[in-house]
Amino acid sequence: MTPHTVPGTLSQDIARAVASLPDVAFLKPDLAGRLRSALSRPEAAEPTGPVSSAGVRLTGPVDGTGPWRVEIQLVARGRARTVDVARAARRAAQEHLDAALPEQAVPAHVTVTVTGLV
């Protein structure tokens, strides 16, 4: 990990990379996101603020030498095959981790769960 990268920032960066994929509708929202969407007006458009990292759980190496563990929960668009979306999300997360943590000898363990389709 670089001195300027902290796990919270890394988690947000991974969330941003995955959410920008064309067939990812959104990451699984946290409680605040669910309440916000339930209380929002119907004419509200896509969110313009920062991407929430609620759908990404990042765990560092337990002993300092093991792999990073990344769990991603997302909702995919119905026009795409779920397996293709999951593979693309896994690849995007892995590429981002490889770029952010080049000194990491052990590859990260990335798990993607597609929780729904829209």
Side-chain angles (χ1 to χ4, degrees):
M1 183 181 287
T2 64
H4 301 292
T5 306
V6 295
T9 303
L10 188 57
S11 179
Q12 289 176 334
D13 291 345
I14 292 170
R16 198 172 299 112
V18 171
S20 69
L21 294 172
D23 291 322
V24 173
F26 53 88
L27 296 176
K28 179 183 170 190
D30 58 353
L31 181 60
R34 290 181 187 200
L35 290 173
R36 191 177 317 112
S37 66
L39 298 174
S40 66
R41 295 179 305 229
E43 65 271 5
E46 295 270 331
T48 57
V51 174
S52 169
S53 62
V56 176
R57 180 181 299 166
L58 183 65
T59 309
V62 175
D63 58 0
T65 60
W68 282 81
R69 298 199 180 279
V70 182
E71 297 174 32
I72 302 170
Q73 295 183 348
L74 59 87
V75 175
R77 299 192 190 279
R79 67 176 182 244
R81 289 181 7 168
T82 304
V83 68
D84 293 335
V85 176
R87 286 178 181 159
R90 184 181 187 282
R91 186 172 34 254
Q94 186 67 54
E95 288 172 359
H96 188 78
L97 277 171
D98 290 346
L101 306 169
E103 72 279 354
Q104 184 73 19
V106 181
H109 179 76
V110 180
T111 304
V112 178
T113 305
V114 177
T115 60
L117 297 172
V118 293

